[in-house]
Structures are given as C-alpha cells and as structure tokens.
Amino acid sequence: MQLIGILSAALALIQATAMASTSNAYPDHIGVHRAGAERQHMSAIGTDGLMYMPVLLPPRSPRLFRPKNIRAYSLFLQAFYYMKTLPETDPRSFAAIANIHGEPEGMPYDNYPGPKGDSNRGYCKHADPLFPLWHRPYIALIESVIVEIATTVIAPTYTQNTTQWVALAKTIRFPYWDYASDAALKDPYPSIFSEPSVVILVGPNGAQFTMENPLVSFSLPEDIYDEMRSSGMRSQETYRTGSLSTHEVAQTRAQVRLLFDTTLEDWFAFSNTQMDSGDPENPRQFHSIEGIHNNIHGYVGSGSYMGNPASASYDPIFYFHHCNIDRLTALYQACFNEFPDPSIANTPLTPFRIRPGSNDAWTSYDSNSTRAFGYTYPELANGTRGTQLARSLYQTYTFVDPAGIVDTNPNRRRRDSVERRDMSTRDISSSPSMYQKATRYLERGFAKAYSLAGFKHRIEATTYTETKPTTPAGTDAAAFGGEAAYAHFSVDMHSIDEPFTVVFKVDGHAAGSSYVFATRKNHHGDVMVIGSSVVLTFELYQAGLLHKPEEWKKHVTVEIRDFVGDTVDLSRFPTLNVILRGCLHDAEDKDNNPYTQWSEDAIQLYP
C-alpha cells in the first residue's frame, strides 16, 4: 500500500505540473540550442570538457534492471513520461516532436514557415546525403527538451538536496542503443523497451516507486491517429511486430564494421542508400549508414509504426535507435573527416531553428560536429581520430563465429556444416587464416600504439572473434569467394509505394534480409533507385558453401515481402538487380592498414 501511495502521489505531481505548465503559452519558438558555457561546464566529464552520451541500456539480466547512474536514470524516465503527457499544441510535447519526422502531412512544427518538407508529408531526409546530419538536430531537440523538463519540472520535486538534483538534470544526455555491440550479442533486445512498468530507483521523496514505462509505446492524439490509419496502423497505441535476434545482431555487426573500412570512404555512399548511376557495381554503393538504419526499422517494426517513415517517430524506441545512428556518423566523421558536398551543405535542415525565436535553421555546416550541441561519445572523448580510431573500431566490432550464433528462428538450419567438418583436412600450414592475420595485425598495431603487454592473449580470448575457415593454399582468396559473402542489390524504393523487405535464402533457409524504408512517392512515375546489402556469410558457412562461389547461384534465392509480410511477385520490381560477391576482410595494404578486398567478379543472381 505504501508503494501504491508513492506511485499515486508522484504521478499526480507530474500530471499537475504538466497541466500548470500548459496553461501558459510557450513564450517563444523552440530552438535547438548551441552549447553554452554553462551547459558545457555542467556536463564536463571528458578531457575535452564534453559530456558523454550515457548508456542507460545495459544487458538484460535475471535481476531487476539496474542502471549504473540511478539518479540520472530516474530523472530521465520521469522527464520522458512528462513529455508524453503534454498536449500536441506544446512544441515540447512528444506528439509535436514526433510529428516532425513524417505524417500527418501539412502539419508544420511550431509554426515553422513553409511546407512540411519537400512533399509536405514530413521534414525527414531519406535516400538523401543529408540523412545523417538532418537527424542530428532532431535528436538534439528531444534531448534539450528532456534536459529542460528534468531541470525545471522533475528535479525541483526532490525536496532534499534540490540544488544537486537540478545540477544533475542539466548533465543528462540522450542514451543510444548499440545493437552491434558485444552486449547486444548477449541481449539483442533490452527489456527496457518492452517491460510495461519500470521502477524509479530514487523518487522525489527518496523512495523507489513503480510507474508506467514511457519507452514502450505512445498513444497518438485522436486527430493524428485519424491520419495514420491510411498508413496501415491498426491501433492508436503504437506497437511493434518484431524485436532483434542474435542472428540479426551478427548481421548488423558485420555491416557496422564495414563503415570504417577505407575502401568505403565516401560521404555520398556512406550517408544514404541512393545509387550513383555512374558506378552501379562499386561495392561501396551498397554499404551505407542508412542501410543499417533501415534494417533496424524493419527488424523491430515491419508491419507496425516503426516500419513506416510516416509513423516511425511516434514509437519511443525510434530516438534511441537514431541516437546510435548519430554516434556511428560521428565515429565515421572522426575516422575519415568526410562531409556533404558544399553544394548541399548550406541546405536548411528544417524545422530545427538554430536559436529560439528565429526561422533560421541549422545546416550541415552548423551541425557537422556534435560539439555544436554540447555532447560527444565515449570513443571520441580522449581525442582519438583517423586511422587509430578506425583500428580501434575494427577491434570493437570483431567478427562473429557463425557456429556460435544461437537463434530460435526455425527457418535457419542448425547443424554442423560440411565446411566445418572439412576444415580438419585442410593444409593450414602454408596459408594463415584470416583470424591469425587479424591477430598479428592487431597485436602489431595496438601493442605498438598503446604498449599493451599480453595483447595477443586478450585478442585470442575475445568471445566473439571469429575463427574463420582457412583459404586453401595457392588459391586467390578474392576469386575463391573470400572470407565473407554479400548479396548486393538495387531496386526502385517506390516500386510498390510502401516499405518492403528483400529476403535471401540458402536452400530455402533464411539467410538474411534488408528493409527498404520507403516513403510514398510524390508523383506518379517517381523513381528512386537505392542500393543495399545482405550478409550471406553465416548461412553459406552453415551450408558448406562459403568458399564455393561457383555453387552460390544454385542455392541462393531472393524474394520480396510487402509491409505486412506477404510475398510479392518479383515482376512488380522491374528495376531489381541482385549480384553476389565475396570479400576478404582484413587484407593489408603496404602500410599494414586493414581493408576489404572485394572479389573482382560478381555473380549475377537476378534477373
């Protein structure tokens, strides 16, 4: 009874404060603030005086969820809950912020002048080189609102040590969900995104209390939901049709690793899925940050809110996903110093005002660095940049042993492959495995840079480093099929005027998929050809086919499923083109830097 009383009192206080705050007109149009001296001072943690983006989503465990920073965690969740209670007319409300990304059409944010994006259906940029940097001020906006609410609404309710609570609230930064990490391999879908209630570990009176989990769903205002029905949403409360499996984490991890490969060093190719028609088969065309982004939307939400650009931002998980996309973008920028072409870098990133009360929007020039918003990421806090950072990220996102993936999908084979049995008969004395080469490279590069004694031992003990099949002696690895295999495909994203999934199978067993996060076309006849990829390594390995590219076409098939999962005849996708290609990870250049050596010949799978 005491816990129920605490809960009722806490929620009543939050709701009463919400009603009081919305009774007054918000004094000025919201701006996504630049970092001022006070904010940087309050958030000083790293050597550069910037606050880390805190990871509030640790692996799932048998015990109740326990974040490290329980005070910031308590403030963050209460502020998120409060933000969801504000009416859509308040630009600080979750409804108003979510409305920025997609539909309803013709509903501008905070009276920002002009149409709602190019199509008037949403401000977001997709299949566009501005994709990563448009979403940066978007996440900064919701972060700044959370900080404001935590500082001015939630922290003052703590009657003991109020000043310290207010100071702590100013240091909150939005957490990211790293779905390619070692932790994700153990716990692909953190319970904080699915449990209906959460325990606030330190409440306003110092005691714990349980409240509705604000990160699970959001109930759309009636007028907005009326518009969403046409996009196939069957409930006013957001819902998810999927989650994330270990197999999908391994697939994502392989894709993330390629972001930091020097062979893919090109902003246009990195930033978005749009194809460069002048170079249609270059591997870099198929490995973008947007492609990784699209797949997470598909894994979690195909057939539901997260799976459609029109509605995805109404699901709270959207922002944790995009915070990680921003992190990967920041890491890529720090590795390669890449930036949008100057011809588009001054394009206004509407509707994000660069200061309150102004209609001047942020541009890519303004938002090129996270420093402009007063935050950084753990990997960047010590100043590591360039090749040294890329090497470190290669170690962070090491290969995954196909034999070690535990997956409950009944459509994937679960048996010892012929290839693994054949490994014992191969002559490995004259041809070191890629794992051995990677170990030597990492030992040489990292031990030299950091003087770490025993580094080789720690690499070999890493749980998720793949012991890869050995390329037979005297065989050119690139021609042979290499150490990994990918399906590279291009297709018109508007083919069926809704999001869809490109699925690959090996002998009928699910190998992997790529989600096309398609927006509705603006005009009849609109064509936007995009490129993406699917990792086939794991299933080909299980089938004993990884090093037999001459057999791939006989065993690999492709199909396409629509938004709700129904198979669509491939004749409806006249632009679909699929090639299969092997590659050798961690080949070394003359300076002993790793890069991916792609096979020179691609195998035409479809048409």
Side-chain angles (χ1 to χ4, degrees):
M1 292 298 292
Q2 182 182 10
L3 185 61
I4 295 175
I6 294 172
L7 170 62
S8 300
L11 295 185
L13 177 60
I14 291 174
Q15 291 165 351
T17 311
M19 293 177 63
S21 73
T22 55
S23 64
N24 300 317
Y26 199 67
D28 209 346
H29 294 310
I30 283 185
V32 184
H33 299 277
R34 290 181 183 274
E38 179 183 6
R39 186 177 180 194
Q40 289 197 6
H41 172 72
M42 294 305 303
S43 62
I45 287 185
T47 55
D48 56 2
L50 298 179
M51 172 70 180
Y52 295 167
M53 298 291 275
V55 183
L56 300 183
L57 307 174
R60 185 180 299 164
S61 71
R63 296 177 297 172
L64 191 62
F65 176 64
R66 288 287 191 272
K68 289 183 178 180
N69 192 339
I70 62 174
R71 292 175 179 267
Y73 164 78
S74 298
L75 290 174
F76 178 86
L77 286 178
Q78 291 177 87
F80 206 108
Y81 177 91
Y82 172 89
M83 178 176 60
K84 290 171 61 178
T85 68
L86 296 174
E88 62 187 283
T89 53
D90 189 327
R92 299 169 300 166
S93 69
F94 184 81
I97 293 171
N99 176 48
I100 291 173
H101 189 267
E103 298 186 16
E105 59 184 84
M107 189 180 289
Y109 175 70
D110 196 20
N111 295 316
Y112 196 89
K116 187 180 178 181
D118 297 336
S119 64
N120 206 31
R121 295 187 185 132
Y123 294 104
C124 64
K125 300 288 186 182
H126 288 280
D128 187 307
L130 295 178
F131 162 75
L133 295 185
W134 181 88
H135 286 83
R136 178 166 287 169
Y138 194 18
I139 301 304
L141 171 62
I142 194 170
E143 177 191 271
S144 65
V145 170
I146 290 285
V147 171
E148 180 202 337
I149 291 172
T151 302
T152 63
V153 178
I154 307 301
T157 66
Y158 285 74
T159 55
Q160 295 184 354
N161 302 316
T162 306
T163 302
Q164 289 90 329
W165 280 99
V166 170
L168 175 64
K170 294 178 180 179
T171 69
I172 290 175
R173 295 295 178 268
F174 209 90
Y176 59 86
W177 174 27
D178 184 359
Y179 27 70
S181 65
D182 286 354
L185 283 164
K186 299 174 184 176
D187 179 27
Y189 191 62
S191 59
I192 190 65
F193 294 136
S194 59
E195 292 181 348
S197 61
V198 291
V199 175
I200 299 302
L201 301 172
V202 184
N205 65 356
Q208 295 184 6
F209 71 93
T210 302
M211 64 179 284
E212 173 188 316
N213 186 351
L215 310 185
V216 172
S217 63
F218 174 66
S219 183
L220 278 68
E222 190 68 40
D223 58 333
I224 293 180
Y225 178 59
D226 286 343
E227 297 287 337
M228 288 298 169
R229 294 176 193 270
S230 62
S231 298
M233 300 304 113
R234 60 178 185 267
S235 169
Q236 191 168 345
E237 187 88 12
T238 63
Y239 57 94
R240 301 174 197 138
T241 51
S243 56
L244 209 62
S245 70
T246 304
H247 184 273
E248 289 158 348
V249 170
Q251 294 255 337
T252 304
R253 188 180 177 102
Q255 300 279 18
V256 167
R257 195 172 192 273
L258 280 173
L259 294 178
F260 309 109
D261 189 306
T262 56
T263 61
L264 304 177
E265 183 182 347
D266 175 272
W267 177 266
F268 187 92
F270 161 81
S271 63
N272 75 114
T273 54
Q274 185 181 163
M275 291 287 289
D276 178 357
S277 58
D279 197 8
E281 291 195 0
N282 191 319
R284 71 182 184 185
Q285 295 257 41
F286 305 94
H287 295 278
S288 67
I289 185 71
E290 189 179 20
I292 294 170
H293 152 273
N294 291 352
N295 289 341
I296 299 300
H297 276 279
Y299 294 149
V300 172
S302 179
S304 64
Y305 277 85
M306 262 293 279
N308 194 319
S311 57
S313 54
Y314 291 96
D315 188 329
I317 202 173
F318 171 97
Y319 301 92
F320 300 87
H321 166 34
H322 270 278
C323 194
N324 192 50
I325 293 298
D326 179 67
R327 167 179 163 267
L328 294 174
T329 299
L331 296 179
Y332 174 86
Q333 290 178 294
C335 286
F336 303 120
N337 197 30
E338 287 289 318
F339 186 68
D341 188 273
S343 64
I344 62 171
N346 266 326
T347 302
L349 304 177
T350 57
F352 307 115
R353 293 179 170 91
I354 201 164
R355 63 187 65 84
S358 168
N359 288 328
D360 294 333
W362 287 79
T363 68
S364 295
Y365 281 121
D366 300 315
S367 61
N368 184 41
S369 171
T370 63
R371 289 174 175 270
F373 301 98
Y375 67 87
T376 188
Y377 291 99
E379 298 92 340
L380 302 177
N382 63 1
T384 305
R385 299 292 187 274
T387 303
Q388 186 181 13
L389 177 60
R391 288 174 176 173
S392 175
L393 293 169
Y394 259 58
Q395 171 64 5
T396 298
Y397 298 108
T398 50
F399 294 110
V400 178
D401 181 358
I405 296 177
V406 178
D407 201 342
T408 57
N409 189 332
N411 294 320
R412 295 197 181 96
R413 74 183 82 226
R414 287 291 166 264
R415 61 177 177 80
D416 284 341
S417 70
V418 175
E419 183 153 6
R420 281 210 302 278
R421 292 197 297 270
D422 286 350
M423 283 178 64
S424 61
T425 64
R426 291 180 178 172
D427 177 13
I428 64 173
S429 60
S430 60
S431 179
S433 71
M434 287 312 302
Y435 171 65
Q436 292 167 330
K437 290 177 68 178
T439 300
R440 287 205 301 267
Y441 158 71
L442 289 168
E443 179 185 11
R444 186 167 59 243
F446 279 82
K448 181 178 180 181
Y450 300 108
S451 300
L452 297 178
F455 191 75
K456 179 178 180 181
H457 173 75
R458 284 195 288 277
I459 294 174
E460 292 176 340
T462 300
T463 304
Y464 295 106
T465 299
E466 180 181 353
T467 304
K468 301 173 76 67
T470 304
T471 303
T475 305
D476 178 72
F480 184 68
E483 302 293 340
Y486 290 83
H488 288 165
F489 71 90
S490 56
V491 67
D492 175 18
M493 69 182 292
H494 297 310
S495 295
I496 57 174
D497 211 22
E498 66 179 65
F500 56 90
T501 306
V502 183
V503 180
F504 289 88
K505 295 181 178 180
V506 176
D507 294 333
H509 297 275
S513 64
S514 182
Y515 195 65
V516 179
F517 195 54
T519 56
R520 286 193 291 161
K521 65 179 70 175
N522 296 330
H523 307 96
H524 180 72
D526 280 358
V527 174
M528 172 61 74
V529 177
I530 58 96
S532 196
S533 62
V534 172
V535 182
L536 301 180
T537 309
F538 306 107
E539 195 61 31
L540 287 173
Y541 176 77
Q542 295 287 352
L545 297 169
L546 182 58
H547 289 101
K548 300 176 182 178
E550 70 279 3
E551 298 288 328
W552 290 354
K553 191 168 184 177
K554 301 176 186 177
H555 298 269
V556 178
T557 55
V558 60
E559 63 183 51
I560 293 182
R561 298 172 188 164
D562 64 15
F563 183 60
V564 296
D566 294 332
T567 302
V568 184
D569 193 284
L570 293 184
S571 64
R572 297 184 61 186
F573 302 86
T575 61
L576 178 64
N577 186 70
V578 183
I579 56 177
L580 308 180
R581 186 180 268 133
C583 68
L584 187 67
H585 286 302
D586 283 341
E588 295 180 6
D589 62 18
K590 60 182 178 61
D591 297 319
N592 296 322
N593 293 318
Y595 73 98
T596 301
Q597 180 184 353
W598 292 93
S599 57
E600 296 180 1
D601 298 324
I603 299 167
Q604 185 70 35
L605 181 68
Y606 186 91

PDB file of all heavy atoms in Angstrom, residues 355-367:
ATOM      1  N   ARG A 355      18.254  29.074 -33.242  1.00  0.00           N
ATOM      2  CA  ARG A 355      18.112  29.825 -31.993  1.00  0.00           C
ATOM      3  C   ARG A 355      16.626  30.086 -31.770  1.00  0.00           C
ATOM      4  O   ARG A 355      15.852  30.167 -32.739  1.00  0.00           O
ATOM      5  CB  ARG A 355      18.901  31.135 -32.042  1.00  0.00           C
ATOM      6  CG  ARG A 355      18.446  32.111 -33.097  1.00  0.00           C
ATOM      7  CD  ARG A 355      19.376  33.318 -33.198  1.00  0.00           C
ATOM      8  NE  ARG A 355      20.698  32.904 -33.646  1.00  0.00           N
ATOM      9  CZ  ARG A 355      21.007  32.740 -34.943  1.00  0.00           C
ATOM     10  NH1 ARG A 355      20.100  32.929 -35.887  1.00  0.00           N
ATOM     11  NH2 ARG A 355      22.218  32.379 -35.293  1.00  0.00           N
ATOM     12  N   PRO A 356      16.196  30.213 -30.525  1.00  0.00           N
ATOM     13  CA  PRO A 356      14.782  30.473 -30.250  1.00  0.00           C
ATOM     14  C   PRO A 356      14.319  31.779 -30.887  1.00  0.00           C
ATOM     15  O   PRO A 356      15.063  32.757 -30.944  1.00  0.00           O
ATOM     16  CB  PRO A 356      14.732  30.559 -28.720  1.00  0.00           C
ATOM     17  CG  PRO A 356      15.935  29.816 -28.253  1.00  0.00           C
ATOM     18  CD  PRO A 356      16.985  30.051 -29.297  1.00  0.00           C
ATOM     19  N   GLY A 357      13.084  31.769 -31.384  1.00  0.00           N
ATOM     20  CA  GLY A 357      12.504  32.978 -31.937  1.00  0.00           C
ATOM     21  C   GLY A 357      12.942  33.305 -33.342  1.00  0.00           C
ATOM     22  O   GLY A 357      12.534  34.315 -33.906  1.00  0.00           O
ATOM     23  N   SER A 358      13.786  32.462 -33.945  1.00  0.00           N
ATOM     24  CA  SER A 358      14.285  32.705 -35.291  1.00  0.00           C
ATOM     25  C   SER A 358      13.765  31.632 -36.228  1.00  0.00           C
ATOM     26  O   SER A 358      13.470  30.518 -35.814  1.00  0.00           O
ATOM     27  CB  SER A 358      15.820  32.693 -35.292  1.00  0.00           C
ATOM     28  OG  SER A 358      16.325  32.644 -36.615  1.00  0.00           O
ATOM     29  N   ASN A 359      13.659  31.975 -37.503  1.00  0.00           N
ATOM     30  CA  ASN A 359      13.306  30.975 -38.510  1.00  0.00           C
ATOM     31  C   ASN A 359      14.530  30.502 -39.292  1.00  0.00           C
ATOM     32  O   ASN A 359      14.391  29.818 -40.305  1.00  0.00           O
ATOM     33  CB  ASN A 359      12.250  31.533 -39.469  1.00  0.00           C
ATOM     34  CG  ASN A 359      10.899  31.659 -38.800  1.00  0.00           C
ATOM     35  OD1 ASN A 359      10.556  30.863 -37.926  1.00  0.00           O
ATOM     36  ND2 ASN A 359      10.131  32.676 -39.186  1.00  0.00           N
ATOM     37  N   ASP A 360      15.721  30.879 -38.835  1.00  0.00           N
ATOM     38  CA  ASP A 360      16.950  30.370 -39.434  1.00  0.00           C
ATOM     39  C   ASP A 360      17.176  28.944 -38.935  1.00  0.00           C
ATOM     40  O   ASP A 360      17.201  28.698 -37.726  1.00  0.00           O
ATOM     41  CB  ASP A 360      18.148  31.242 -39.050  1.00  0.00           C
ATOM     42  CG  ASP A 360      18.058  32.640 -39.638  1.00  0.00           C
ATOM     43  OD1 ASP A 360      17.420  32.786 -40.697  1.00  0.00           O
ATOM     44  OD2 ASP A 360      18.617  33.575 -39.032  1.00  0.00           O
ATOM     45  N   ALA A 361      17.344  28.025 -39.869  1.00  0.00           N
ATOM     46  CA  ALA A 361      17.507  26.619 -39.500  1.00  0.00           C
ATOM     47  C   ALA A 361      18.978  26.223 -39.490  1.00  0.00           C
ATOM     48  O   ALA A 361      19.825  26.862 -40.120  1.00  0.00           O
ATOM     49  CB  ALA A 361      16.737  25.729 -40.473  1.00  0.00           C
ATOM     50  N   TRP A 362      19.256  25.157 -38.762  1.00  0.00           N
ATOM     51  CA  TRP A 362      20.579  24.562 -38.805  1.00  0.00           C
ATOM     52  C   TRP A 362      20.888  24.102 -40.229  1.00  0.00           C
ATOM     53  O   TRP A 362      19.991  23.769 -41.001  1.00  0.00           O
ATOM     54  CB  TRP A 362      20.646  23.351 -37.875  1.00  0.00           C
ATOM     55  CG  TRP A 362      20.673  23.686 -36.417  1.00  0.00           C
ATOM     56  CD1 TRP A 362      19.611  24.028 -35.637  1.00  0.00           C
ATOM     57  CD2 TRP A 362      21.820  23.708 -35.566  1.00  0.00           C
ATOM     58  NE1 TRP A 362      20.017  24.265 -34.348  1.00  0.00           N
ATOM     59  CE2 TRP A 362      21.375  24.066 -34.277  1.00  0.00           C
ATOM     60  CE3 TRP A 362      23.170  23.452 -35.764  1.00  0.00           C
ATOM     61  CZ2 TRP A 362      22.241  24.182 -33.194  1.00  0.00           C
ATOM     62  CZ3 TRP A 362      24.036  23.558 -34.682  1.00  0.00           C
ATOM     63  CH2 TRP A 362      23.579  23.925 -33.415  1.00  0.00           C
ATOM     64  N   THR A 363      22.162  24.065 -40.573  1.00  0.00           N
ATOM     65  CA  THR A 363      22.611  23.491 -41.835  1.00  0.00           C
ATOM     66  C   THR A 363      23.640  22.409 -41.522  1.00  0.00           C
ATOM     67  O   THR A 363      24.052  22.231 -40.371  1.00  0.00           O
ATOM     68  CB  THR A 363      23.261  24.548 -42.744  1.00  0.00           C
ATOM     69  OG1 THR A 363      24.507  24.966 -42.148  1.00  0.00           O
ATOM     70  CG2 THR A 363      22.349  25.747 -42.950  1.00  0.00           C
ATOM     71  N   SER A 364      24.081  21.700 -42.549  1.00  0.00           N
ATOM     72  CA  SER A 364      25.113  20.681 -42.338  1.00  0.00           C
ATOM     73  C   SER A 364      26.411  21.309 -41.852  1.00  0.00           C
ATOM     74  O   SER A 364      27.156  20.700 -41.078  1.00  0.00           O
ATOM     75  CB  SER A 364      25.358  19.903 -43.633  1.00  0.00           C
ATOM     76  OG  SER A 364      24.208  19.170 -43.998  1.00  0.00           O
ATOM     77  N   TYR A 365      26.700  22.525 -42.311  1.00  0.00           N
ATOM     78  CA  TYR A 365      27.888  23.218 -41.815  1.00  0.00           C
ATOM     79  C   TYR A 365      27.791  23.422 -40.305  1.00  0.00           C
ATOM     80  O   TYR A 365      28.759  23.225 -39.570  1.00  0.00           O
ATOM     81  CB  TYR A 365      28.050  24.573 -42.507  1.00  0.00           C
ATOM     82  CG  TYR A 365      28.642  24.508 -43.890  1.00  0.00           C
ATOM     83  CD1 TYR A 365      27.941  24.996 -44.992  1.00  0.00           C
ATOM     84  CD2 TYR A 365      29.910  23.968 -44.102  1.00  0.00           C
ATOM     85  CE1 TYR A 365      28.483  24.941 -46.268  1.00  0.00           C
ATOM     86  CE2 TYR A 365      30.460  23.908 -45.373  1.00  0.00           C
ATOM     87  CZ  TYR A 365      29.742  24.397 -46.456  1.00  0.00           C
ATOM     88  OH  TYR A 365      30.288  24.333 -47.714  1.00  0.00           O
ATOM     89  N   ASP A 366      26.605  23.820 -39.838  1.00  0.00           N
ATOM     90  CA  ASP A 366      26.420  24.082 -38.410  1.00  0.00           C
ATOM     91  C   ASP A 366      26.478  22.809 -37.584  1.00  0.00           C
ATOM     92  O   ASP A 366      27.012  22.798 -36.469  1.00  0.00           O
ATOM     93  CB  ASP A 366      25.065  24.764 -38.171  1.00  0.00           C
ATOM     94  CG  ASP A 366      24.932  26.089 -38.892  1.00  0.00           C
ATOM     95  OD1 ASP A 366      25.887  26.885 -38.835  1.00  0.00           O
ATOM     96  OD2 ASP A 366      23.882  26.316 -39.522  1.00  0.00           O
ATOM     97  N   SER A 367      25.896  21.725 -38.108  1.00  0.00           N
ATOM     98  CA  SER A 367      25.741  20.503 -37.319  1.00  0.00           C
ATOM     99  C   SER A 367      26.786  19.447 -37.642  1.00  0.00           C
ATOM    100  O   SER A 367      26.639  18.288 -37.257  1.00  0.00           O
ATOM    101  CB  SER A 367      24.338  19.918 -37.540  1.00  0.00           C
ATOM    102  OG  SER A 367      24.147  19.580 -38.898  1.00  0.00           O
TER     103      SER A 367
END
